[in-house]
Amino acid sequence: MTSSARLLIVGPQGSGKGTQAARIAEALGIPTVSTGDVFRANIQAGTPLGEQVKAITAAGNLVSDELTGQIVRDRLSEADAAGGFLLDGYPRNIQQVGDLDAFLTERGESLDAVIELNVPRDESIARLALRAKEQGRTDDTDEAIAKRLSIYESETAPILDVYRERGIVDTIDGVGSLDEITARITDALSARGISRAATV
Ligand code: ADP
């Protein structure tokens, strides 16, 4: 039985990744570490970090690997992440995979599972259009969405191959009700011995 839950969720924009991340983390009793949420909170609060990344995120571009990596390392060094965490939005390219590996290896840790949330492109674009209307995220303009999806395909999707080689990827069908999708993920994790009972 795995006694830790160091997890990563990967999926295209509009896949419902953030929503599922929150549900899974809650079910397992581990914190979610979402780089997108950290940036949005800082932008909203008008912090120096927020000022630094505001224009970059609004255009749908990636923040630098150095800055993002530092934020993640700081967050993972907090006490509540010692027994496990669910990363959402990091790593997002091959360089970041290497940076995270180096950090975790230094701590004698490694990722236990990577959840790949699969959603057809048409479906994710439809969900993003709806979210743009409902939430008004500054990076949900047509241009920024196209940029983010294209970066996802060219830079983020390839990281899955690295993790696939390690045998830790679970590919989950992301079409269905929120509860169905959460159940698919928790079932896949249970099959790896990752469940709340095993992490507490
Ligand atoms: P989405 O997946 O819908 O694009 P996120 O909330 O994950 O949204 O990220 C929002 C923005 O924050 C990204 O477009 C990017 O500018 C920045 N960002 C988030 N994670 C990273 C990362 N790992 N590396 C670089 N930039 C990031």
Side-chain angles (χ1 to χ4, degrees), residues 8 24 30 37-39 42 65 113 121 147 157 165 183:
L8 161 66
I24 298 302
I30 52 175
D37 283 352
V38 171
F39 292 139
N42 277 276
D65 294 333
R121 201 184 160 97
K147 171 67 84 52
E165 274 178 28

Side-chain angles (χ1 to χ4, degrees), residues 162-185:
V162 176
Y163 292 126
R164 230 169 244 127
E165 274 178 28
R166 298 181 194 174
I168 57 171
V169 176
D170 287 315
T171 302
I172 305 294
D173 176 5
V175 181
S177 72
L178 288 182
D179 286 345
E180 277 165 359
I181 299 162
T182 305
R184 284 175 201 152
I185 298 172

Side-chain angles (χ1 to χ4, degrees), residues 3-158:
S3 60
S4 67
R6 296 192 175 85
L7 311 175
L8 161 66
I9 186 164
V10 181
Q13 287 71 16
S15 61
K17 181 172 58 79
T19 306
Q20 293 299 332
R23 288 170 156 236
I24 298 302
E26 165 83 31
L28 293 176
I30 52 175
T32 312
V33 175
S34 160
T35 42
D37 283 352
V38 171
F39 292 139
R40 276 186 291 281
N42 277 276
I43 291 167
Q44 213 148 22
T47 66
L49 171 65
E51 287 304 313
Q52 202 176 339
V53 301
K54 200 159 140 181
I56 301 170
T57 61
N61 287 313
L62 293 189
V63 175
S64 76
D65 294 333
E66 291 72 23
L67 183 55
T68 314
Q70 193 54 54
I71 286 163
V72 172
R73 287 191 291 275
D74 286 350
R75 179 62 188 91
L76 293 183
S77 301
E78 286 176 35
D80 66 337
F85 50 78
L86 172 53
L87 286 166
D88 166 12
Y90 186 95
R92 220 176 178 93
N93 60 31
I94 295 283
Q95 172 68 43
Q96 294 182 2
V97 169
D99 292 346
L100 178 66
D101 277 345
F103 175 72
L104 292 179
T105 302
E106 216 171 88
R107 307 206 309 177
E109 299 175 358
S110 59
L111 288 182
D112 299 301
V114 176
I115 302 153
E116 175 190 16
L117 206 51
N118 246 349
V119 172
R121 201 184 160 97
D122 287 357
E123 169 90 13
S124 66
I125 289 175
R127 290 185 191 174
L128 286 171
L130 189 70
R131 184 174 80 187
K133 264 196 221 146
E134 288 171 351
Q135 299 178 6
R137 252 174 68 164
T138 53
D139 59 353
D140 277 348
T141 61
D142 287 351
E143 241 175 64
I145 287 173
K147 171 67 84 52
R148 282 152 59 218
L149 282 167
S150 119
I151 294 178
Y152 180 81
E153 274 158 28
S154 62
E155 295 193 39
T156 307

